[in-house]
Amino acid sequence: MLEELILAGGTTVVGAMATDSWAVARGGIARLFRRRGQDQQSAIEAQLDSHMALVERAGDAERVRESLLPVWQLELESLLDEHPDAAGDLQELINEIRDRLPEDQRAWVQNNVAKDGGQVFAVQGGNVIVHQMPPGPRGGSGAAH
């Protein structure tokens, strides 16, 4: 669950760079990092400004955002390791920023894992309808005959 929050947070921060949502994103991230003290907050603000400028100047802003994503995932992971109480605030910030992002900047993340013979039926933005027969003589075993 924490990994998903970190990925969503990083994706949302870099997605907001050079958009109308940037002021909200920058201010919210700076507030989160205030937990580390004023010097660290100032350093994060400078890093945010530098990264946003890279996105603004880029001919391919999406490529730059993709390159910056791991940096912000690491920053958020480090923050949450030190201050687990920041997780709720990060989730609130993600929701606030996503509501303000242009439609094409909203990122959808979905991780699905099936283990030990399990099955996953997943979809984003639609429906999944699954009709399965139980194993046995009428439903079959799923093996080819």
Side-chain angles (χ1 to χ4, degrees), residues 58-135:
D60 184 354
E62 286 310 307
R63 184 186 65 77
V64 175
R65 285 185 177 101
E66 287 175 22
S67 297
L68 294 173
L69 178 58
V71 173
W72 286 101
Q73 287 177 286
L74 288 172
E75 290 288 4
L76 292 170
E77 180 179 7
S78 175
L79 177 71
L80 293 178
D81 282 347
E82 294 171 23
H83 302 280
D85 61 306
D89 292 339
L90 176 57
Q91 184 62 62
E92 288 177 21
L93 179 61
I94 290 167
N95 295 340
E96 182 180 0
I97 295 168
R98 283 188 176 168
D99 288 346
R100 295 170 183 256
L101 282 174
E103 193 66 36
D104 63 338
Q105 291 297 113
R106 296 180 189 185
W108 295 77
V109 176
Q110 180 173 341
N111 297 308
N112 304 294
V113 178
K115 294 182 179 182
D116 303 323
Q119 296 178 337
V120 174
F121 302 96
V123 69
Q124 287 185 341
N127 297 314
V128 173
I129 300 171
V130 177
H131 299 279
Q132 279 188 299
M133 298 292 294

Side-chain angles (χ1 to χ4, degrees), residues 22-35 48 89-90 93 96-97:
W22 180 239
V24 171
R26 184 189 183 280
I29 292 296
R31 280 190 304 280
L32 284 173
F33 280 87
R34 185 179 301 150
R35 289 170 166 85
L48 286 164
D89 292 339
L90 176 57
L93 179 61
E96 182 180 0
I97 295 168

Side-chain angles (χ1 to χ4, degrees), residues 10-22 25 47-56 61-62 64-65 68 72 97 101 105:
T11 302
T12 303
V13 170
V14 299
M17 290 178 178
T19 70
D20 292 340
S21 305
W22 180 239
Q47 186 176 358
L48 286 164
D49 292 341
S50 174
H51 289 176
M52 195 277 299
L54 285 172
V55 171
E56 255 184 349
E62 286 310 307
V64 175
R65 285 185 177 101
L68 294 173
W72 286 101
I97 295 168
L101 282 174
Q105 291 297 113

